[in-house]
Amino acid sequence: MLLPQELFDAIIDEIHDKETLKACALLSSAFLPPSQRNLFRKVQLGGHSRDISAPLAEFPHLVSYIRDLTIYVWDTASNFAAVPAVLRSVQNIESLAVFGRAVNWNRLGYEASSALLDCLSRPSLRRLDLKHVEGVPTAFILAATAIPVVSFEYVHMDLGGGISDHLRNSAPASRIRHLILNDGDPAVFAICDFLLHPRKNPAYTQQIERLEIRIDQHSVSQFERIMGACAATLKCLAVDATDLIRLPLLPSVLEVEIKVFIGDNRRLPLFFSSNLSQVASSLPLVETITLVFVVAPLPPEVRWPNVAPLPIFGPSFMDRTQLLHLRQVHCKLLRREHYSGDMRAVFDRFVPAMESRMPGLQGTGILKCSLAEGCGKA
């Protein structure tokens, strides 16, 4: 009895190992299409990735399988020549990333740059990531506002004649729902000023529901403006702060995440208590508070200090004069890059340290501690 092709497809879709998928592709004609679809769903061009320009050119149908495409701008290898052709052929792309190493956008060349701009108009595109790229044309940033999820990390705009010259009536309607901004360099101000420019109506920030920002002393004022502009619609806020911040009133936020890098002696930064205390007055409807503690590469035998409780989670917390909607405080311990210590040993000390800092949560079921996957980066 012949099994339906849908069953083969469903089985192959559960396989994520590339070598296994390659073996399946050679096994039978029934396994070939679903194996290729999964092998070429996520493709990287340039950088240190394998040169796949030859198979893409020889078998152009493979391009139709691409959903997640990453382009490394700094590369000069032959596979970078495939970028324009791939961008113009991929019609169902969902995620696009352009990564550089502080290189200029001009490294792409006219053909690739034009194809990238055209790619932003694909209806299927749901996410754009730009990182470490200088001289990004304002027209590209303008087109990016039509994408639901946008990440700008260390991105420098080429303003040319200025922001106002690029805000035309033909600009796409803003669809940004999730915005990620990360850059302590003053160059990020150009993107902030662009997003907040008064000549654009409605503003690019007025539909954002999730905001992720990394704040330092150079960017704090700009990001305070961004938070304020998103206040009416913002539901999720993730803040990576290296200094004291000022949270505006965010009446719709239900989830907040605060990231902290743990320094010598596992001591919390002096500004952490003040930043956390603002949650009570600035986020009146918050339901979930996630605290991410990133462990620096220090020996695991360094102990967590037993110090005074955090102000809003002291013994009087259950009086519930504030944070009336709080349902969970999730403390995550995350390993920083290059840390090779025993994370389990660190976590065994982390849990009682968090419990001692939040005595008002003991016995409530609100406090949760976990050892997170992945690596935190500075």
Side-chain angles (χ1 to χ4, degrees):
M1 182 178 67
L2 293 177
L3 295 175
Q5 182 64 39
E6 290 80 4
L7 181 58
F8 293 132
D9 293 352
I11 293 172
I12 298 299
D13 286 344
E14 295 300 316
I15 300 174
H16 305 290
D17 177 68
K18 285 190 176 294
E19 295 304 317
T20 304
L21 286 170
K22 291 176 184 177
C24 290
L26 299 173
L27 188 60
S28 74
S29 58
F31 281 15
L32 180 60
S35 298
Q36 288 183 334
R37 184 173 64 247
N38 284 277
L39 278 169
F40 287 89
R41 180 177 181 84
K42 187 174 184 177
V43 169
Q44 297 179 351
L45 295 176
H48 303 296
S49 57
R50 184 173 62 90
D51 185 355
I52 64 169
S53 57
L56 289 176
E58 185 176 356
F59 306 102
H61 72 281
L62 298 176
V63 177
S64 67
Y65 297 141
I66 297 176
R67 299 293 182 270
D68 187 331
L69 178 63
T70 299
I71 299 169
Y72 294 98
V73 180
W74 71 82
D75 185 64
T76 57
S78 59
N79 60 350
F80 191 71
V83 168
V86 170
L87 286 170
R88 290 196 169 94
S89 300
V90 62
Q91 295 299 315
N92 298 305
I93 188 170
E94 298 172 1
S95 178
L96 173 65
V98 181
F99 294 157
R101 288 179 175 171
V103 298
N104 195 278
W105 183 266
N106 291 332
R107 176 71 65 86
L108 283 164
Y110 175 79
E111 289 296 325
S113 180
S114 177
L116 272 169
L117 186 58
D118 291 342
C119 192
L120 297 193
S121 64
R122 301 282 193 275
S124 59
L125 187 61
R126 305 293 300 171
R127 176 167 182 141
L128 171 70
D129 289 82
L130 290 182
K131 188 172 184 178
H132 288 295
V133 185
E134 299 177 357
V136 179
T138 308
F140 190 86
I141 302 296
L142 186 68
T145 62
I147 301 171
V149 182
V150 181
S151 174
F152 298 124
E153 296 193 57
Y154 307 100
V155 173
H156 296 198
M157 293 175 61
D158 180 7
L159 292 175
I163 292 176
S164 297
D165 294 340
H166 296 276
L167 293 173
R168 302 183 284 279
N169 292 330
S170 59
S174 178
R175 296 173 59 214
I176 300 178
R177 299 295 184 273
H178 181 176
L179 176 64
I180 303 164
L181 290 172
N182 182 0
D183 192 353
D185 190 287
V188 76
F189 300 166
I191 290 181
C192 290
D193 289 340
F194 180 85
L195 295 173
L196 296 169
H197 198 279
R199 282 191 58 183
K200 178 60 183 172
N201 187 26
Y204 294 119
T205 56
Q206 288 183 352
Q207 300 180 76
I208 294 175
E209 298 179 353
R210 180 176 179 86
L211 179 66
E212 297 181 41
I213 50 179
R214 185 176 188 272
I215 301 176
D216 62 17
Q217 59 181 344
H218 300 292
S219 60
V220 60
S221 62
Q222 292 290 334
F223 287 152
E224 284 174 1
R225 292 176 61 205
I226 289 285
M227 286 188 286
C230 300
T233 56
L234 196 63
K235 292 181 171 59
C236 302
L237 174 66
V239 179
D240 180 354
T242 60
D243 207 338
L244 183 65
I245 60 176
R246 294 188 301 272
L247 290 177
L249 178 62
L250 301 171
S252 301
V253 169
L254 303 178
E255 301 177 22
V256 62
E257 176 182 295
I258 300 176
K259 180 181 287 187
V260 181
F261 284 87
I262 304 301
D264 295 341
N265 300 317
R266 307 282 188 255
R267 189 170 292 121
L268 295 176
L270 294 176
F271 58 82
F272 176 70
S273 294
S274 297
N275 286 347
L276 182 60
S277 296
Q278 294 181 69
V279 171
S281 57
S282 299
L283 284 61
L285 295 184
V286 69
E287 297 176 355
T288 302
I289 299 174
T290 301
L291 305 176
V292 181
F293 299 89
V294 185
V295 177
L298 297 173
E301 63 269 19
V302 177
R303 294 189 175 276
W304 297 81
N306 184 14
V307 292
L310 293 170
I312 62 174
F313 296 131
S316 63
F317 169 77
M318 289 311 293
D319 294 345
R320 287 290 189 148
T321 57
Q322 292 180 310
L323 297 174
L324 302 178
H325 301 272
L326 187 65
R327 299 291 179 267
Q328 184 176 93
V329 176
H330 189 180
C331 297
K332 292 183 180 181
L333 188 65
L334 184 65
R335 176 175 62 86
R336 187 172 177 178
E337 279 187 313
H338 311 305
Y339 179 78
S340 58
D342 184 355
M343 284 297 293
R344 178 54 60 177
V346 178
F347 183 70
D348 288 342
R349 295 166 182 149
F350 172 74
V351 174
M354 292 300 102
E355 291 175 344
S356 67
R357 298 300 300 272
M358 308 180 196
L361 300 184
Q362 293 190 30
T364 64
I366 293 177
L367 180 61
K368 174 186 177 182
C369 296
S370 68
L371 187 58
E373 298 293 332
C375 298
K377 297 183 179 182

